Amino acid sequence: MTVALNTGPMKLVVVGASGRMGQALVRIICETQGAVLHAAVGRPGSASIGRDAGDLAGVGPLGVPVTDDALAAFVNADGVIDFTKQETSVEFAALAAQARIVHIIGTTGCSEADEAKFEAAARHARIVKSGNMSLGVNLLSVLVAQAAKALEASGWDIEVLEMHHKHKVDAPSGTALLLGEAAAKGRGVDLKDMAVKVRDGHTGPRTPGSIGFATLRGGSVIGEHSVLLAGEGEIVTLSHSAGDRSIFARGAVKAALWAQDKKPGLYSMLDVLGLSSPQ
């Protein structure tokens, strides 16, 4: 299948445009060559409906009012960038499949049923989905996989520690799970079989080979993640600190531009960054 190349800037839709992440996306799109804000979608009933998306994002009027009509917003668009809720992302994936456009999904906390729907939509849409869109985190995931492989499970325990702001609703974070998956991949195991996400009461000794998660919530922390590999008498720590939401927005816009000329399918940020393992 050959995908027709767009001769003008990529026309992008931002959903959740009135939120902090949506506003960051609008700002990054405005400063990115080859991209233009085509439409902005807000939640029905939001006070932002009808307001100029550029004004909301602090870049001045763009002539793009926030709408609650996602279907209309997708008309003539080339792609949609989506950091919303699980059920909303599933709905948008179906619309993107119908429109045969790019769908960038930064939504976390998705169920296995949600993931199955994304895979189905990817038969017609070009979907890039990741628990984290930043370059640094995705590079970190590659290093975690390499370290987990190099340091044997019999002598080294793996713990994933994450902290986010007090308003985050899912735990462990999508990024923590992404890093856990990387560790599991390095060890050649299934994370679902090895993950320990809760410890309470008399837990007994640590299960050899398990991958533990610790979750902290508080204040306005954007995102702190560390992977600790603990051996006898030594600890190796690999970590990433997010200081600004623009790192996720930049990654998402980069992913959209990358996916423009790709075949329909479900991709990750490792594909976008050329870090995926060769098949």
Side-chain angles (χ1 to χ4, degrees):
M1 175 181 176
T2 302
V3 179
L5 294 176
N6 187 7
T7 56
M10 188 176 189
K11 297 178 289 186
L12 294 173
V13 178
V14 172
V15 296
S18 58
R20 289 174 296 182
M21 193 64 226
Q23 292 177 35
L25 284 164
V26 170
R27 290 192 291 270
I28 296 303
I29 289 170
C30 287
E31 65 184 51
T32 301
Q33 185 175 5
V36 64
L37 183 66
H38 175 71
V41 179
R43 118 181 139 266
S46 169
S48 67
I49 302 301
R51 292 189 60 188
D52 190 285
D55 283 336
L56 282 172
V59 296
L62 297 174
V64 181
V66 178
T67 178
D68 60 3
D69 188 345
L71 184 60
F74 280 42
V75 174
N76 297 322
D78 297 315
V80 56
I81 303 180
D82 171 12
F83 288 76
T84 56
K85 298 186 297 184
Q86 300 92 328
E87 61 271 23
T88 309
S89 292
V90 167
E91 175 188 342
F92 291 148
L95 292 177
Q98 291 174 24
R100 305 301 202 264
I101 61 175
V102 170
H103 186 191
I104 308 302
I105 306 174
T107 304
T108 59
C110 298
S111 67
E112 289 187 14
D114 296 332
E115 299 291 353
K117 291 175 182 176
F118 294 139
E119 289 181 14
R123 291 198 289 266
H124 302 293
R126 285 150 278 158
I127 296 178
V128 180
K129 185 178 184 298
S130 178
N132 192 297
M133 293 285 174
S134 85
L135 171 60
V137 162
N138 283 278
L139 175 60
L140 176 62
S141 74
V142 174
L143 298 176
V144 167
Q146 292 176 342
K149 181 178 181 179
L151 301 176
E152 295 180 0
S154 59
W156 292 81
D157 300 318
I158 299 176
E159 293 285 315
V160 182
L161 172 65
E162 58 107 337
M163 183 170 185
H164 283 84
H165 54 86
K166 59 188 175 185
H167 301 293
K168 188 167 179 62
V169 298
D170 58 308
S173 70
T175 303
L177 293 172
L178 181 153
L179 295 173
E181 289 284 4
K185 180 180 179 181
R187 288 270 167 92
V189 297
D190 190 327
L191 182 62
K192 288 185 290 186
D193 298 331
M194 306 307 295
V196 176
K197 298 177 182 176
V198 177
R199 293 189 178 104
D200 185 40
H202 190 278
T203 62
R206 191 182 198 279
T207 302
S210 61
I211 298 173
F213 291 83
T215 298
L216 305 177
R217 294 287 179 266
S220 58
V221 177
I222 293 174
E224 304 282 341
H225 295 85
S226 297
V227 178
L228 286 74
L229 296 101
E232 293 297 325
E234 58 184 326
I235 296 176
V236 175
T237 302
L238 301 170
S239 62
H240 179 271
S241 178
D244 192 307
R245 284 180 178 79
S246 67
I247 66 173
F248 312 125
R250 291 182 193 281
V253 174
K254 179 182 180 72
L257 293 171
W258 174 88
Q260 245 187 130
D261 60 353
K262 299 299 180 291
K263 296 178 180 179
L266 183 58
Y267 301 96
S268 72
M269 279 301 289
L270 294 182
D271 295 312
V272 175
L273 300 171
L275 296 173
S276 55
S277 301
Q279 300 300 313

Coordinates of all heavy atoms in Angstrom, one line a residue, residues 60 87 214:
G60 N -1.6 33.7 21.3 CA -2.4 34.6 20.5 C -3.4 33.9 19.7 O -3.3 32.7 19.5
E87 N -11.5 5.8 27.5 CA -12.7 5.6 26.7 C -12.7 6.6 25.6 O -13.2 6.3 24.5 CB -14.0 5.7 27.6 CG -14.2 7.0 28.3 CD -13.5 7.1 29.7 OE1 -12.6 6.3 29.9 OE2 -14.0 7.9 30.5
A214 N 6.9 0.9 42.8 CA 6.5 1.8 44.0 C 6.0 3.1 43.4 O 6.6 3.7 42.5 CB 7.8 2.0 44.8

